[in-house]
Amino acid sequence: MAFDVDDINDITIDVLKELGNIGSGNAATALATMISKKVDMDVPQVKILDFKDVPKILGGEEVPVIGIYFEMSGEIIGNIMFVLSLESGKNLTNILFNKENNSMELDEMDISALSEIGNILASSYINSLSALSGLKLTISVPSLATDMAGAILSVPAIQYGYIADHVLFIETQFQEGDKKVTGNLFMIPEIGSFKKLLKSLGVC
Amino acid sequence: MEVVKVGMADLKVIKAPGALTTLGLGSCVGIILYDKRTKIAGLAHIMLPSSKEIKNNSNKAKFADTGIELLLEKMISIGADRVFLVSKIAGGSQMFSFNSKSNILKIGERNIIATKEKLKELKIPIVSEDTGGNYGRTIELNAEDGSLLVKTIGHGIKNI
């Protein structure tokens, strides 16, 4: 039987939500430790969307966004992508460097910092996932790109395209003072790995 | 001028006046077919090379092979003449790069190859293309003259 994200049930969504919670919690803690400031976090949302609606989550297909992409290996093979709007990315680097820079350009320091934050976030999720499922998992070094939302999001959409007509992702919000950061995390296991993952989590 | 939007894994056909657009093409490929005589234009936004590779293939517009066939069918059904059809293609970039051999990242390139093969098989000539690279594209096809506008962030605008 072909597996489709459309068939996913409430229990699976709850497990993914919990995974998002733990992962984001760890990431927020790591971030707070790095900047020695309080970082607030909203309850992450698990979202399932039709392909054509995916770019809308970041304000439209042509809005410039930042994508940070990882290869996932170990007992599950797949990819992880962390996507955030340019504004969120800028807020994140401003939080990190404790500065007020309103320019929408990313310099080398910003890119390097964002890659590292992406790394922390992705690792936090992977660690939670690994702990919950008992599967051994590792991630590659990050690869970062800034471009139109449609183009960046086509990467996870295509990978989901192999297994479904919908895309599943976890939306996380952080806040430090008045600087808000909304990140969207796409976890895309390869076909064979998806079932293995759900099985290990006890929901399939 | 009315501009009709084509989403991911979707296709549309129109008759002039009007335009077809698809926004933020990444590794996907935008395929346009155009009949100069009847001014009938079609645009497909495909995501994957082949419907034969996977079981979940009910959405024909998702794949290069079935997408192009369906686009052709729709154009002929509203009066396009197959003999006069030409094609233009855009997209198929590689948004992220890694040192590894991962096949998935080469999906843009594979989409372009599959698209060209299918068009060749159907004997539809490709008159121009803007493919590859590592950046996104927005394309707009004017049904009046078949011109294709390609817009990017930081890589210029061109008419192909």
Side-chain angles (χ1 to χ4, degrees), chain A residues 21-196:
Chain A
N21 242 332
I22 301 170
S24 313
N26 289 344
T29 310
L31 191 60
T33 314
M34 276 171 83
I35 60 171
S36 314
K37 271 185 199 158
K38 187 169 158 258
V39 174
D40 290 320
M41 183 195 92
D42 283 353
V43 177
Q45 306 283 322
V46 174
K47 299 195 170 175
I48 296 174
L49 286 183
D50 210 73
F51 288 142
K52 64 175 193 316
D53 296 325
V54 173
K56 290 182 191 152
I57 55 172
L58 291 157
E61 290 91 339
E62 292 186 288
V63 171
V65 301
I66 304 161
I68 309 161
Y69 192 74
F70 304 84
E71 292 184 331
M72 177 166 68
S73 55
E75 289 181 78
I76 289 179
I77 298 165
N79 295 94
I80 286 193
M81 188 160 117
F82 186 62
V83 186
L84 65 178
S85 68
L86 204 49
E87 195 190 347
S88 277
K90 218 48 219 194
N91 278 343
L92 197 51
T93 54
N94 283 346
I95 293 172
L96 206 65
F97 297 133
N98 197 17
K99 58 177 186 180
E100 294 289 341
N101 178 353
N102 293 322
S103 130
M104 275 299 147
E105 297 286 307
L106 294 176
D107 57 29
E108 238 171 78
M109 274 295 274
D110 292 335
I111 289 176
S112 157
L114 285 169
S115 299
E116 191 45 39
I117 294 283
N119 210 354
I120 293 169
L121 267 168
S123 307
S124 303
Y125 279 100
I126 284 298
N127 289 342
S128 334
L129 184 61
S130 191
L132 278 176
S133 65
L135 297 168
K136 268 204 193 100
L137 302 168
T138 52
I139 55 167
S140 69
V141 291
S143 171
L144 184 140
T146 2
D147 212 310
M148 301 181 200
I152 297 283
L153 292 168
S154 75
V155 176
I158 284 175
Q159 285 170 251
Y160 260 109
Y162 284 103
I163 53 174
D165 281 318
H166 291 83
V167 168
L168 181 149
F169 63 95
I170 301 167
E171 187 191 270
T172 309
Q173 286 200 334
F174 295 111
Q175 199 165 344
E176 188 273 310
D178 58 352
K179 299 188 192 86
K180 207 173 211 164
V181 177
T182 306
N184 301 282
L185 187 105
F186 293 80
M187 200 177 56
I188 316 128
E190 283 185 357
I191 311 172
S193 294
F194 213 118
K195 271 206 153 162
K196 189 174 178 184

Side-chain angles (χ1 to χ4, degrees), chain B residues 9-97:
Chain B
D10 192 12
L11 56 85
K12 299 250 166 65
V13 296
I14 57 160
K15 218 170 189 166
L20 285 166
T21 187
T22 196
L23 312 173
L25 274 170
S27 303
C28 298
V29 174
I31 302 147
I32 73 145
L33 296 183
Y34 185 65
D35 177 352
K36 195 167 66 181
R37 287 197 331 165
T38 56
K39 295 187 177 176
I40 290 175
L43 169 61
H45 181 156
I46 63 102
M47 299 172 74
L48 292 166
S50 169
S51 63
K52 295 178 187 83
E53 281 174 15
I54 37 183
K55 288 180 197 149
N56 181 10
N57 58 8
S58 54
N59 180 3
K60 290 189 174 166
K62 195 156 115 178
F63 309 95
D65 57 347
T66 47
I68 295 171
E69 272 171 21
L70 185 63
L71 188 65
L72 177 63
E73 233 171 74
K74 285 204 162 181
M75 292 198 50
I76 289 172
S77 77
I78 62 162
D81 190 336
R82 211 192 141 127
V83 181
F84 298 101
L85 283 182
V86 293
S87 155
K88 291 181 182 180
I89 60 175
S93 59
Q94 182 175 336
M95 301 305 297
F96 295 92
S97 53

